[in-house]
Amino acid sequence: MSERKQVLCFYDGYPRELCPIILGHSQGQEKALTYQFGGESKTGLPRGGQWRCLWLSKVDKAELRDGAWYSGGSHSQPQGCVEIVDLDVNPASPYNPKRPL
């Protein structure tokens, strides 16, 4: 995340192209808030991409690659995906991540 590399993976059997924004834990399991800019999903992917909340235990065949970094537009609400934030790519994170970038 600190190098802002894209992640290619499968999630729920669908190929995804993502930029991870926040990593941490919810309900005792590892979780990530990502911005999906390519690939597929059960509900489809709007043009331009969409925020996705992923359980890391369901991620398969993850690979890193260089490429443009996508993080969506500005948000009007706090994220509710990750309860305990370990890492946030936003240097001015309001979530008090456990590890600084």
Side-chain angles (χ1 to χ4, degrees):
M1 283 176 56
S2 62
E3 294 178 16
R4 296 190 183 235
K5 298 230 180 213
Q6 296 177 357
V7 175
L8 307 178
C9 67
F10 283 84
Y11 188 82
D12 281 342
Y14 293 94
R16 312 263 181 147
E17 297 176 55
L18 312 160
C19 290
I21 307 300
I22 293 176
L23 290 177
H25 294 82
S26 291
Q27 301 170 16
Q29 295 186 49
E30 293 176 318
K31 209 167 184 188
L33 177 63
T34 68
Y35 194 78
Q36 182 178 347
F37 61 88
E40 303 171 14
S41 77
K42 182 173 26 182
T43 59
L45 183 65
R47 187 177 186 158
Q50 187 171 47
W51 290 101
R52 301 288 188 184
C53 192
L54 308 179
W55 295 102
L56 296 186
S57 62
K58 294 183 176 185
V59 172
D60 192 34
K61 299 179 184 170
E63 298 177 24
L64 299 178
R65 80 170 176 202
D66 293 325
W69 184 259
Y70 301 97
S71 59
S74 61
H75 348 308
S76 57
Q77 301 178 19
Q79 66 88 19
C81 171
V82 179
E83 293 171 2
I84 300 167
V85 175
D86 293 324
L87 189 59
D88 186 342
V89 295
N90 177 7
S93 174
Y95 303 110
N96 300 314
K98 291 182 177 183
R99 293 182 281 161
L101 249 184

